[in-house]
Amino acid sequence: GMAAPTMEERKACWGARDEFWQCLDSHGDDASKCEKLRRAFESRCPQQWVKHFDKRRDFLKYKKKLETEGFHPPEAAAKS
């Protein structure tokens, strides 16, 4: 299997992720503006982590959307 990353490697990974995410935030999630940071993120983090963080970001974005826009259940659900 894959060796667990050292603390240094984890820090490098998280740092790269944070920079990438900040870039996405400031460009309205336009990934094309953040390609260099994306590549750094992918090169510093284990593949598994990259997948995990991508999913996590989608989840966090979805959660934020619910918080800012409120959750609107389908009409049918309202008529009980």
Side-chain angles (χ1 to χ4, degrees), residues 17 21 49-63:
R17 176 203 63 190
W21 283 12
W49 290 26
V50 171
K51 283 192 188 127
H52 168 77
F53 287 139
D54 283 347
K55 279 203 192 91
R56 176 138 187 83
R57 183 170 170 86
D58 286 342
F59 171 73
L60 292 172
K61 270 186 358 206
Y62 174 70
K63 226 177 85 169

Side-chain angles (χ1 to χ4, degrees), residues 4 7 9-10 13 15 17 21 23 25 29 33 39 48 51-53 55-56 64-65 68-69 72 75 77:
M7 191 61 210
E9 288 169 330
R10 283 204 296 271
C13 169
R17 176 203 63 190
W21 283 12
C23 177
D25 288 342
D29 274 321
K33 297 260 196 311
R39 283 199 293 274
Q48 240 4 77
K51 283 192 188 127
H52 168 77
F53 287 139
K55 279 203 192 91
R56 176 138 187 83
K64 193 181 235 162
K65 195 179 150 168
T68 51
E69 296 174 14
H72 307 293
E75 286 303 308

